Amino acid sequence: MQKSTGKTKSWSDKFGNKIMAAAVVSAIIPVLLLGFLIVHKLRTDLIKQALSSQKTFSYTVTSGVDALIESFKKQLEMLAGLPEMQSMEKDRQVEAMHDFFSFNPVFYSIIIYDTDSYVKSAAYRNREEHQQNKYIGRHLLSGKSEVNLPAKEAFKAVLKSKKPLVADSTMMVQGERMLLIFVPIFDFVASNKIIGVLSCAINLEGPEMNQLISGFKVSENEIMLLTDLSGKVMAGKGNVLPEGLKQIKTVHKDFSFSEITPVDFEINQNRYIGIISPAKALNGYLLAAKPSDIIFDFLHSMLLDLFIILFVAVVISVGFGYVISKHLADKINSLLEGIRKVSAGIISHRVEIKGADELSDAGDALNKMIDSLEKHRMIDESWNEIWKSANNKGELPEQNDE
């Protein structure tokens, strides 16, 4: 019985399996590389498209807010031009300011200064007398406190330019953040002479701020936020915007942006991608963003299609590799079987390999070698028989050991 002299080979040592593995890898690698490039390009294009849309929206909103602030300035200029305001009489001014509040719900308070920065009159929307009277006679420009520095600088700038302007930064008034607009009051007779300055506060943390952005339409699944310079939310709009949102934290270490900047952040464990742009008129930022899962929704469906393509490619490559490897492995096994039998002394065996490739040529060469071995073996056996017969008849000389 023939015993196999070959060692047991592992899966990776078998030639057919190597061919199959090569076919699978050669099919998977191009698909993976192509898929990676497609996904990367698609992801980049989706982000660019979303940011481009949000930039356009941001320009629209900031332009709208700037126009809104300008309209506030115009309204305050009209108020400052009333004879009651130009009279610089407290009671007449207070009555005119309360009438102005009734038609303009955005404004929180108005303070009137003379040209020496002393408070002449004040009016609050809630009409509380103690608030309106406690500031009378105070001197704005006195003192070294930095809290009123924006108001001081705005007051001096209005006297110099004779034009309305917004304070460089917001101020905290009774725990609420206010935007201050300063408007000159001109003399009734000498229309180019400033006789006082009107300071109006707009509450940036109340419902009035939401009214500022209520006219701007956001698309479905987008959010719009107005924040102060520290990222505190002043107003917001959007169907997916969570209620009670107070603060925004971006990936940037400091919440400081001088130009339109792409940002990503999380709200209630939901990731958003968008842009943040300075809202100079409000001394804050405008943030427009969309949930990342919505931006990449098409990409996710693309990944599923890519996975299906990859799976089909693997199945095809495995089948193709199996057919090729089995065909080659059968020829190699046939050669190996013939070599093993010849090495065991069985020279009557012949290798049958069909085809016209190198393995078929190797099989033919092996068969010719076996034919030659068999021929020489037959000659050897014939000579042995002749020598044996001659030796038995004594026709051959005895061999001398010396």
Side-chain angles (χ1 to χ4, degrees):
M1 181 177 180
Q2 179 185 345
K3 294 183 180 180
S4 175
T5 59
K7 296 181 179 179
T8 302
K9 292 180 173 61
S10 64
W11 185 92
S12 60
D13 290 332
K14 295 181 179 180
F15 187 74
N17 293 337
K18 289 181 179 180
I19 296 175
M20 183 184 297
V24 172
V25 172
S26 62
I28 291 177
I29 290 180
V31 173
L32 287 177
L33 291 176
L34 181 61
F36 174 78
L37 292 175
I38 292 175
V39 170
H40 178 73
K41 181 69 167 58
L42 185 59
R43 185 180 187 277
T44 302
D45 290 344
L46 288 174
I47 292 177
K48 285 182 178 179
Q49 183 180 2
L51 293 181
S52 176
S53 172
Q54 290 159 4
K55 279 184 179 180
T56 303
F57 176 71
S58 174
Y59 283 128
T60 302
V61 175
T62 51
S63 299
V65 170
D66 289 342
L68 201 57
I69 297 300
E70 289 298 321
S71 72
F72 292 160
K73 291 180 182 179
K74 295 294 183 182
Q75 294 178 51
L76 292 172
E77 281 186 296
M78 294 178 61
L79 173 64
L82 294 177
E84 291 86 347
M85 304 300 292
Q86 294 174 326
S87 69
M88 297 301 289
E89 296 178 5
K90 175 188 172 183
D91 293 339
R92 294 182 65 186
Q93 286 180 332
V94 170
E95 189 63 30
M97 287 186 285
H98 282 302
D99 289 342
F100 179 78
F101 286 146
S102 62
F103 293 102
N104 299 275
V106 174
F107 303 105
Y108 174 78
S109 66
I110 299 175
I111 296 178
I112 307 298
Y113 300 93
D114 62 18
T115 53
D116 294 324
S117 78
Y118 286 97
V119 177
K120 302 297 292 183
S121 62
Y124 285 79
R125 173 171 295 282
N126 55 18
R127 289 180 176 266
E128 292 187 9
E129 289 293 331
H130 72 280
Q131 282 187 317
Q132 296 181 166
N133 294 326
K134 71 176 182 178
Y135 292 106
I136 303 299
R138 288 193 180 184
H139 190 217
L140 175 63
L141 298 181
S142 65
K144 298 182 179 180
S145 174
E146 295 185 358
V147 175
N148 292 328
L149 184 60
K152 294 177 182 179
E153 296 298 327
F155 180 87
K156 291 187 285 187
V158 167
L159 290 179
K160 184 177 180 179
S161 66
K162 297 182 179 182
K163 294 180 180 179
L165 56 83
V166 179
D168 288 339
S169 62
T170 57
M171 292 184 60
M172 296 301 297
V173 179
Q174 297 182 351
E176 296 183 326
R177 190 173 300 277
M178 301 288 176
L179 176 71
L180 300 181
I181 300 178
F182 287 79
V183 177
I185 301 175
F186 294 98
D187 185 74
F188 183 77
V189 177
S191 58
N192 197 38
K193 178 184 177 181
I194 295 180
I195 59 175
V197 175
L198 179 153
S199 171
C200 180
I202 300 176
N203 191 346
L204 298 182
E205 298 183 359
E208 295 85 0
M209 201 62 206
N210 284 310
Q211 293 180 14
L212 288 177
I213 63 174
S214 61
F216 300 104
K217 184 178 180 181
V218 296
S219 61
E220 187 178 2
N221 300 319
E222 282 190 339
I223 63 171
M224 178 177 67
L225 296 172
L226 285 173
T227 73
D228 63 13
L229 298 178
S230 65
K232 185 177 181 181
V233 176
M234 298 187 296
K237 188 176 183 181
N239 295 332
V240 295
L241 186 66
E243 296 183 2
L245 184 62
K246 299 295 183 182
Q247 183 77 32
I248 291 295
K249 292 183 179 180
T250 68
V251 296
H252 298 261
K253 293 183 179 179
D254 57 337
F255 206 89
S256 178
F257 307 92
S258 58
E259 58 185 12
I260 294 179
T261 306
V263 293
D264 60 271
F265 55 93
E266 287 189 358
I267 299 177
N268 295 344
Q269 298 181 345
N270 293 322
R271 184 167 173 253
Y272 288 77
I273 296 177
I275 58 101
I276 188 168
S277 59
K280 296 181 180 179
L282 299 176
N283 296 306
Y285 297 111
L286 171 69
L287 193 151
K290 181 181 288 187
S292 60
D293 56 345
I294 294 177
I295 294 177
F296 298 133
D297 182 59
F298 176 72
L299 180 61
H300 294 158
S301 63
M302 183 76 177
L303 288 176
L304 178 60
D305 295 338
L306 184 62
F307 175 78
I308 294 174
I309 293 173
L310 178 61
F311 178 77
V312 172
V314 170
V315 172
I316 294 175
S317 62
V318 169
F320 185 69
Y322 173 77
V323 172
I324 294 178
S325 62
K326 186 176 184 304
H327 179 69
L328 294 176
D330 289 343
K331 291 186 176 183
I332 293 172
N333 290 332
S334 180
L335 277 174
L336 183 60
E337 182 68 17
I339 294 171
R340 285 175 177 171
K341 289 187 175 183
V342 171
S343 66
I346 305 174
I347 59 176
S348 60
H349 179 74
R350 295 295 182 272
V351 177
E352 294 183 5
I353 299 179
K354 297 179 180 180
D357 54 16
E358 289 82 354
L359 290 177
S360 300
D361 294 340
D364 293 338
L366 179 61
N367 288 334
K368 290 178 181 180
M369 183 186 71
I370 296 174
D371 290 338
S372 178
L373 290 174
E374 187 175 23
K375 180 179 179 180
H376 285 85
R377 184 174 180 178
M378 292 176 64
I379 293 173
D380 289 342
E381 289 178 351
S382 298
W383 278 106
N384 287 334
E385 288 294 331
I386 294 172
W387 279 93
K388 184 178 180 182
S389 177
N391 187 41
N392 291 334
K393 295 178 179 180
E395 298 176 353
L396 294 176
E398 295 290 338
Q399 294 181 356
N400 192 352
D401 294 336
E402 294 181 357

